[in-house]
Amino acid sequence: MGTLIDQALVAEHNAKLKADLDADYEALAGSLSRRGVDIETLTAQAEKFAVALPSWGAGTGGTRFARFPGKGEPRNVFEKLDDCAVIHQLTRATPGVSLHFPWDKISDTAELREKARSHGLYFDLVNSNTFQDQPGQAHTYKYGSLTAQNAAAREQAVAHNIECIELGRALGSKGLTVWIGDGANFPGQNNLRGSLERYLDSMRAIYAALPDDWQVYIEHKLFEPAFYATTIADWGTSFACAQELGPKAKCLVDLGHHAPNTNIEMIVARLAQFGKLGGFHFNDSKYGDDDLDSGSINPFQLFLVFNELADAAQREGASFKTANMLDQSHNVTDPIESLMSSAVEVQRAFVQAALVDREALRGFQESNDVLNAAQTLKKAFRTDVSPILAMARLRIGGAIDPVAAYRSAGYREQVAVARPAKAGASSSGIV
Ligand code: RM4
Ligand code: MN
Ligand code: MN
């Protein structure tokens, strides 16, 4: 196993659904045209949309209480790439894969790069991991990594990040995302200012190792594993550090890394305004860093984030770009199905935001017509753009209904045979 789904099966699936899709597409084209919107422009935009896959999302996730492994989980990075390739084959929206080291570390990067190329995939940002100790590691991260009091632990964490840059470079990646779990569980455990000073010192060494065409992305997170004071807890700290470090440092917004009810779209607007919005980890949450599927809890928030991105793109033109990835933990669903439907949800928010009548919105804002301003956003959000997404997929070789096509191809059953469960730990999922 380890190959894509037979394209003939995808074609067969599409043939069954094509007539209905044509009818739905035509009906939507008609109603959009009455609103002065050309459906073809939106479909062309949807075809170009991409969101990268987290390699660690291909395995079943879990919580600190338990993990319930699924069948046929990928046992190594090559098998993760196979699953990612299937997701991209059916959605045509996920050509990039974001790797996590050392979980995905291998000695032969050339072989891995070739495997990705043969699947039509490329490597997006790479992620370092200094929130766990690895077997045989000289210095523990129990009391911190880039901010540790122990200089040797700090140096080890810096060296790991530099190694990630080297691995990423060999794989064709163009950036490193740094998320650390560092912080304190008790008041007094750390000197709050001292921790951030050490963080900046460590990050300066990592920054200095960046190739010219690379960027480093600082990912903030409110809490967990540090439950009293996390060193990089919020976008303000992230922004200040990115400013300190220089132009190659940007901020990365993981949607789940905020307190409930935080106005994330405003954070997006602020970072974009000051040139520090680097990218996203998309997921959804109800309480904290739940890592639920994108758009499953609060699709309106996702739309509002994309609305800010559309606004920034309009202001700044072609130079405005963010690195977009999913970062989710699939504890009770088939990870391939969750990643496919999540990629589609993110793409949906992107298309809905493209539908916003920005001129009308500006007019309502200027005349203080609050109700109509709000309705302008709602009108775009309420539009069911599913036929656009399905048509975009069909035109570029994907499946009209990715999850249905995946199920009928029996991919999971086949990999369940080819990948018997391994005893012991798995690097799959987020635990
Ligand atoms: C963290 C954070 C990072 C991800 C790890 C696995 O909560 O979201 O982006 O690399 O989880
Ligand atoms: Mn993340
Ligand atoms: Mn997270």
Side-chain angles (χ1 to χ4, degrees), residues 77-138:
V77 63
F78 291 97
E79 292 179 353
K80 290 178 193 174
L81 276 193
D82 287 335
D83 289 2
C84 291
V86 166
I87 295 165
H88 182 51
Q89 178 189 14
L90 299 178
T91 63
R92 298 287 158 173
T94 59
V97 178
S98 188
L99 295 184
H100 218 304
F101 299 125
W103 293 340
D104 295 324
K105 194 173 159 189
I106 45 141
S107 45
D108 191 349
T109 45
E111 191 188 352
L112 191 60
R113 199 173 175 166
E114 175 48 32
K115 171 98 178 176
R117 200 204 51 77
S118 73
H119 274 327
L121 301 172
Y122 61 84
F123 291 106
D124 213 284
L125 308 183
V126 293
N127 302 262
S128 60
N129 177 346
T130 61
F131 47 85
Q132 286 176 323
D133 284 349
Q134 303 302 327
Q137 182 175 312

Side-chain angles (χ1 to χ4, degrees), residues 272-403:
Q273 180 171 356
F274 297 110
K276 284 296 185 190
L277 181 64
F280 291 91
H281 277 176
F282 289 111
N283 53 52
D284 214 335
S285 64
K286 183 79 179 158
Y287 303 104
D289 188 23
D290 305 332
D291 282 314
L292 296 173
D293 288 16
S294 297
S296 64
I297 304 290
N298 194 347
F300 190 49
Q301 174 180 265
L302 190 58
F303 162 78
L304 292 173
V305 165
F306 273 94
N307 179 50
E308 291 308 322
L309 292 176
D311 181 78
Q314 199 184 48
R315 287 164 184 271
E316 283 165 51
S319 67
F320 180 76
K321 211 164 98 251
T322 53
N324 299 335
M325 275 146 284
L326 297 171
D327 180 8
Q328 309 180 158
S329 181
H330 314 108
N331 303 350
V332 294
T333 51
D334 179 326
I336 291 181
E337 295 187 5
S338 266
L339 287 167
M340 287 195 297
S341 55
S342 300
V344 172
E345 286 315 293
V346 178
Q347 187 183 30
R348 181 189 308 282
F350 164 76
V351 173
Q352 287 170 325
L355 244 180
V356 171
D357 185 342
R358 288 192 189 277
E359 219 183 292
L361 180 61
R362 233 182 329 270
F364 293 133
Q365 289 168 346
E366 281 162 12
S367 61
N368 293 316
D369 188 341
V370 180
L371 195 92
N372 270 323
Q375 286 301 326
T376 303
L377 291 183
K378 272 294 182 64
K379 190 170 181 183
F381 174 67
R382 274 197 310 258
T383 306
D384 182 2
V385 299
S386 303
I388 295 176
L389 307 179
M391 189 59 85
R393 279 194 295 277
L394 178 68
R395 288 184 184 170
I396 53 177
I400 291 178
D401 182 340
V403 172

Side-chain angles (χ1 to χ4, degrees), residues 179 219 221 224 254 256-257 281 283 289-291 327 430:
W179 173 71
E219 180 178 358
K221 173 168 162 166
E224 193 204 19
D254 181 313
H257 289 188
H281 277 176
N283 53 52
D289 188 23
D290 305 332
D291 282 314
D327 180 8
I430 302 167

Side-chain angles (χ1 to χ4, degrees), residues 159-227:
H160 166 67
N161 275 277
I162 293 174
E163 191 194 3
C164 289
I165 295 173
E166 279 155 15
L167 285 167
R169 197 179 198 176
L171 290 167
S173 173
K174 291 276 180 258
L176 168 73
T177 300
V178 181
W179 173 71
I180 54 166
D182 295 33
N185 276 338
F186 291 86
Q189 179 182 339
N190 281 339
N191 180 287
L192 297 180
R193 181 165 163 173
S195 296
L196 193 60
E197 282 167 357
R198 290 192 293 279
Y199 173 80
L200 278 170
D201 277 349
S202 299
M203 285 298 280
R204 280 189 196 104
I206 296 167
Y207 188 93
L210 291 173
D212 288 346
D213 57 347
W214 268 55
Q215 301 205 319
V216 65
Y217 297 78
I218 301 174
E219 180 178 358
H220 61 274
K221 173 168 162 166
L222 179 65
F223 80 108
E224 193 204 19
F227 288 117

